[in-house]
Amino acid sequence: MYCSHNLRFTTATFLLAITQLYSAATLAAAETPLQIYEIAIKNDPTLSIANALFFTKKENKTLSRGGLYPELDLKTKIARNREDVDTTGVGTSGVEYFDSHSIQLELKQALYSKDKFSKIDIADAEYLVAESEYKMAHQDMIMRVATTYLEVLSAQDNLNFAKAERQVITEQLQIIEQQYK
């Protein structure tokens, strides 16, 4: 079974995965959270695994219902027959050839089959679990993207503040140097 607790990534792991998955040009071109989200939807390995599992269980759910449908068998037979006729009395002896044809149509439908209904119940439950895990992986991916995006914004703000602070200190230093000259 698919375990959701194994899907959690730390921010550092996610940043490393982004670095490996996307080129610098792709990330540089993505400026809005929506653009980053769209890139993550296409390339997030955790979400891809959950999506594949979800569609597998969805297909299993459909296939499990196949046992409830009637079975229809059509058989045909065409044969060329040879019969050695040996008569004593009336008729002539010899070899007779004749063709025979048969068609058989067979329809089977189980009225109740506990094992088939059990398989359907199991497939339905597995489908619901996979659907929940996919939704959880999707939400987890959104949280990772949002957290990383906000951390990048915070880092940019810190960098801009540090540059502005450096600029102010440089200007103050120049003013002080001019005063002492």
Side-chain angles (χ1 to χ4, degrees), residues 8 28 60 88 103 119-120 154 163 170 179:
R8 304 228 182 257
N60 287 347
T88 54
I103 297 176
K119 287 178 184 178
I120 291 171
S154 177
K163 285 180 180 178
T170 303
Q179 288 177 353

Side-chain angles (χ1 to χ4, degrees), residues 93-137:
S93 296
V95 177
E96 295 276 330
Y97 291 96
F98 61 94
D99 295 329
S100 65
H101 309 280
S102 67
I103 297 176
Q104 179 182 359
L105 183 63
E106 184 178 352
L107 179 65
K108 294 180 190 176
Q109 173 68 51
L111 296 177
Y112 178 75
S113 177
K114 183 172 175 64
D115 66 321
K116 290 179 184 177
F117 284 107
S118 295
K119 287 178 184 178
I120 291 171
D121 291 341
I122 291 169
D124 287 345
E126 288 176 346
Y127 169 78
L128 292 174
V129 168
E131 181 181 34
S132 297
E133 288 177 346
Y134 172 76
K135 288 178 181 178
M136 189 172 58

Side-chain angles (χ1 to χ4, degrees), residues 72-175:
L72 184 63
D73 290 328
L74 176 64
K75 298 176 184 175
T76 61
K77 183 178 179 181
I78 299 174
R80 176 89 169 145
N81 301 301
R82 176 179 176 218
E83 185 175 357
D84 290 326
V85 179
D86 188 19
T87 60
T88 54
V90 182
T92 60
S93 296
V95 177
E96 295 276 330
Y97 291 96
F98 61 94
D99 295 329
S100 65
H101 309 280
S102 67
I103 297 176
Q104 179 182 359
L105 183 63
E106 184 178 352
L107 179 65
K108 294 180 190 176
Q109 173 68 51
L111 296 177
Y112 178 75
S113 177
K114 183 172 175 64
D115 66 321
K116 290 179 184 177
F117 284 107
S118 295
K119 287 178 184 178
I120 291 171
D121 291 341
I122 291 169
D124 287 345
E126 288 176 346
Y127 169 78
L128 292 174
V129 168
E131 181 181 34
S132 297
E133 288 177 346
Y134 172 76
K135 288 178 181 178
M136 189 172 58
H138 188 253
Q139 290 298 318
D140 187 50
M141 189 262 325
I142 290 171
M143 289 301 297
R144 286 184 279 122
V145 168
T147 301
T148 304
Y149 183 75
L150 292 174
E151 287 176 354
V152 168
L153 287 179
S154 177
Q156 286 176 343
D157 284 346
N158 290 341
L159 179 62
N160 290 339
F161 179 76
K163 285 180 180 178
E165 187 177 37
R166 182 178 179 195
Q167 179 66 31
V168 168
I169 292 172
T170 303
E171 290 172 4
Q172 287 177 349
L173 180 62
Q174 289 175 353
I175 290 172

